[in-house]
Each structure stands twice: as structure tokens, then as C-alpha cells.
Amino acid sequence: MLDEMSDEALMLAYREGDAAAFEALYRRWRGRLYRYLLRQCGNAAQADELFQDIWLKIVGARRGYEVAAKFSTWLFRIAHNRLIDHYRTQGRAALVSLVSYDDDPADADRVAALPAAASSQPEAIIERKALAHELVRHIEALPAAQRETFLLSEEGELTLEEIAAATGVNRETAKSRLRYAVNKLRAALREHK
Amino acid sequence: MSHDDTRDEQLSRLYREAAGEEPSEAMDRAILAAARAEAAPVQPRKRAWWQTWAGPASVAATVVLTVTLTLMVQQEQEHAFIEAPPSKGEAADSAEKPASPPPAVKQEAAPAPKPLARETKAEPAAPAGALAPRAPMTEPAEPAADAVELRARSAPLRKEAVGAAPARTPEQWLEDIRRLKQQGKDKEAAEALADFRKAYPDFRLPDDLR
């Protein structure tokens, strides 16, 4: 029964004290949120810390929860803000990279410049699994804002409007970032094929 | 999902094949435990037995203490009136001044028979510790008239303490009145008795003087 409920209905049930509803909701989103954070931080320990903070925020917001947006948009909005706080403590460069609207075409060079990790094993490159891992490496090499937009699209399954709402930008900016990210990844994968 | 030209299904499929990282089970347990704790109904904190009874017990103790203190203070005051000897100044004062009996008796002082004059004269010479009221106090009081007599006895003491009047016990006063009656001075005896009643309204009069 819980599996058939929407995210928002589950969160409302949790607001009323149904802990099982929260568990169902958590199981739905735990992996997606974790990978979003892991790709953004590049560090499992930091991802763990952020992941826990974000879910505890959700838990803490239980009593005042109202359905004002899709649960996933709300969740990733919290995650985005928590990441900004994290970057602030890490240094200005990372923060500027995340909030920058600059989609410099030169960024594509950074992806193209990545060393071919499996170049010494040409047979393995053919294998799809290796290609997938290569894709992850390229994603991690994207500029933070483009990477975040791509991850929100893939992991969060958010629309452009929802990505814009979660990251605090307008739809066109979100669209531009996503287009850049996808084009760079396509190009990088073409080079490995 | 309509991302138009920003969506690449092949890219998405490939990414999902690679994206298998998940949080640890320990993390899952910690977060779910926190979620359950937050949703758990708030249990009213059970109070220890001594906390439950602390309020009523303190109120009862306060009441008992207050009542005890009040009774003790009342008893102390009564004892103070009865037992307190006059100060040196008062004793000396009474020794220097001539005896001044209550007004009713004063009127009788001139024609008074010798015994009365002797008594009034002798009073000032008595030592402070042997004031007249002391003697009746040692007498066993009638059980029913305890309170009346106690007040009657303490009255002259109070008078002496304030006005240094010569002490005369109610019994002595009544004896004087009785003597007046015996001498046929009924009017004076009646007036003296009226004065006596004013001075000792609670005193139980002997049958022969009623």
C-alpha cells in the first residue's frame, strides 16, 4: 500500500506520525540523493555527512510539512542549499563554481582533457560497464553547476522547471546548463568509442 | 520527462548502469531511528513517588508548623503574664509610693477598720518577689473556674506593672467587702462589690456576696 502512495502522501502520513511511511519514502530516495551528493563532493565521508544532515532536516520539518511542491524538488532544494553551505566552508572557488551562471564553452576542454583511464586496456573499453564508469568520471569533471543540473535530471528526475526551482535559477539557465553538460558527455564518450 | 534536446536516453541508460553507490546500512539505521523517534508519541514523563507527594507533604508540614508555633506563642504569653516578676524599678516604685487601693476601696480607706489599713500599709513593704497575687496562684484552683481565676489573678499583676498600684487579691478585696457588710455598711459594700465586678467581671462571686 505504501509503495503505491505518492511521495507527498507518504510525507503527509509521516507528519501524522506514521514512521513506516517515512521509511518507504526514504527507501525511494536514499540512493538517488546519496549519488547526487557523492558526485558533487567527490568524497564519500563528506557525502555521508551531508546525506545525514539533509535527512535529519526532513525529519525535523515533519510537523510543519505542507505540500507546496513535489517532494523531490523540496528534497533536492534542501540538498542544494546544504551543498552551498558545505562549499562555503571548503573555499570560495568551489562555491563560485556551483552558483556561477557562466557556462563557458572552454569547460568542454576539461572533459576532453581527462586521461583515458582504460586506454591501457582497449578491450575493456568495449565493455559497457567500463564505459559507464568512464561516463561517471566525465560527469565528475563537469563544472559544478552543469554537473548539478545533470544529476538533478538523472538522479532526481526533475524537469527543467523543477531544477530551476531547486537551484534558484530560471528555466533557461537550467536548460542551458543541462544542454552543455549533455553535449560534453556525448563528446567525451564519442572519443572513447 | 520532456527535456527536448537536453535529454539523451542512451546517456541516461549508461549512467544508471554505473550509478550503484548507496549509503551504508549503518547510515540507514541511524536515519530511520531518528525518524521513528521524532514520530513517536510524546509519553508523559512518569514522576517518582517522592515528586508526586512532595507538594502535599510540604503543605501539610507548613500547616503543622504554623499551628504549633501559634500554640507555643499563646502559651508563652500566658506564662509571661503569670510568672514574670516586676522589674526592680517597679518594685522600688511601689515601695516608695503610698499604697493606693482601687477607687472603691480608697473611699473606704478613712473609715476603714484597722485590719484593712494594716493590710494596705503592709503591702508596699513586701518584697517584690512576694507580691500578693503569688499566694493564690499556689492554691489549687477549682477545675471549672481555672480559666476565670487565671485571668483574675493576672489582672492585678498587669495593673501593678502599669500603674504600680498596691496589689490586693480578689479574695482579699471580697473579704473587705464582706467585712463592710458585717459592719452594716451595705451601701458601701454594694458600691465596692460593683467596683469589684467591674475590675473582675469573670470572677465567680461567693454565694454570700451574690
Side-chain angles (χ1 to χ4, degrees), chain A residues 14 22 26-27 30 35 39 48 62-63 128 132 135 139 151 153-155 158 178-179 182 186 189, chain B residues 1 3-8 10-12 14-15 17-19 21-23 27-28 32 35 38:
Chain A
Y14 178 54
F22 176 85
Y26 175 77
R27 299 276 175 211
R30 59 190 275 282
R35 287 188 290 275
R39 306 264 181 273
D48 280 350
R62 177 182 78 94
R63 290 172 197 277
R128 193 171 174 82
L135 172 62
I139 289 169
L151 291 170
S153 171
E154 292 299 329
E155 295 289 3
L158 302 185
L178 186 57
R179 189 190 296 123
V182 168
R186 277 181 190 147
L189 290 180
Chain B
M1 191 134 350
H3 287 189
D4 5 275
D5 58 333
T6 59
R7 186 81 180 165
D8 185 323
Q10 192 185 356
L11 204 60
S12 293
L14 192 60
Y15 172 73
E17 286 174 23
E21 301 96 332
E22 292 198 332
M27 177 71 76
D28 291 345
L32 291 174
E38 168 65 25

Side-chain angles (χ1 to χ4, degrees), chain A residues 110-131:
Chain A
R110 289 171 56 193
V111 178
L114 280 171
S119 59
S120 59
Q121 300 171 349
E123 300 85 6
I125 299 174
I126 300 169
E127 294 176 16
R128 193 171 174 82
K129 193 174 179 182
L131 188 61

Side-chain angles (χ1 to χ4, degrees), chain A residues 1 5-6 10 27 36-38 43 45-46 49 51 56 71 75 91 103 115 130-131 149 151 160 165 173 180 182 191:
Chain A
M1 182 189 168
M5 290 171 69
S6 70
L10 287 173
R27 299 276 175 211
Y36 163 82
L37 295 169
L38 186 63
N43 178 311
Q46 288 177 352
E49 185 187 335
F51 180 81
L56 292 182
F71 173 80
L75 174 66
D103 292 310
L131 188 61
T149 309
L151 291 170
L160 286 173
T173 301
Y180 271 116
V182 168
E191 285 189 16

Side-chain angles (χ1 to χ4, degrees), chain B residues 35-49:
Chain B
R36 277 192 291 271
E38 168 65 25
V42 180
Q43 296 281 341
R45 206 159 56 103
K46 197 176 179 183
R47 303 173 77 190
W49 66 268

